[in-house]
Amino acid sequence: MMKRTFAVTLLLMVMAAGLVVTASAWGSTAQAAARTTVSKAQYKILYHQCRYANTKRLRRQCRADVRRNYRIGRWNPDLDCRTYSGITVCGKLKLSRRERRCVVRSVRDEGLSRRRAEVECYAFA
């Protein structure tokens, strides 16, 4: 009886360990699948555009977001990259309130396209 109880307990422990390993492996696979694949050049643009964030904290957060959300692979034609005034950016820009006001003014008063205004206000405002 003692051997049987020990064997059942051991079997349950092995099964539980397998579930933990399987669950953690699945989680890392799901996280990797959620990351967007981009080329090395696109990744570099995404990472370097963080220098235009207004504060050190925002620049650090931006770079962490790039590392978390993107992985280097092949060229991604769906990634929205654009260059205006010598500044190249990719993806959706997180604009501050001041930068959003700048975009509205630039579109309204200067006749810039919204995409161009976003890039210029992000980089220069």
Side-chain angles (χ1 to χ4, degrees):
M1 182 70 172
M2 184 71 146
K3 287 183 182 179
R4 188 178 200 174
T5 304
F6 179 74
V8 169
T9 304
L10 185 60
L11 180 61
L12 289 173
M13 288 173 57
V14 168
M15 287 174 47
L19 288 174
V20 169
V21 169
T22 303
S24 65
W26 180 82
S28 63
T29 303
Q31 182 182 6
R35 294 169 64 195
T36 302
T37 301
V38 296
S39 71
K40 189 173 185 176
Q42 288 172 315
Y43 187 90
K44 194 174 182 180
I45 291 167
L46 286 160
Y47 192 82
H48 289 300
Q49 76 190 31
C50 294
R51 72 178 172 260
Y52 299 114
N54 289 339
T55 65
K56 189 174 186 176
R57 183 184 63 77
L58 289 174
R59 287 188 291 274
R60 199 172 28 245
Q61 179 63 47
C62 177
R63 291 182 183 114
D65 289 344
V66 170
R67 286 190 298 270
R68 184 177 55 253
N69 296 324
Y70 298 95
R71 67 176 171 192
I72 297 173
R74 59 186 159 87
W75 178 263
N76 185 340
D78 297 327
L79 186 64
D80 179 26
C81 294
R82 58 236 184 246
T83 302
Y84 295 105
S85 302
I87 306 295
T88 301
V89 297
C90 291
K92 184 166 173 56
L93 298 175
K94 289 185 180 178
L95 301 175
S96 67
R97 181 177 293 140
R98 187 176 98 210
E99 290 164 341
R100 288 191 302 270
R101 283 194 307 261
C102 172
V103 169
V104 170
R105 272 193 316 273
S106 296
V107 169
R108 182 188 63 221
D109 300 341
E110 298 171 30
L112 294 180
S113 70
R114 181 165 184 80
R115 288 168 51 83
R116 181 176 188 149
E118 285 178 347
V119 173
E120 290 187 0
C121 291
Y122 181 68
F124 304 123

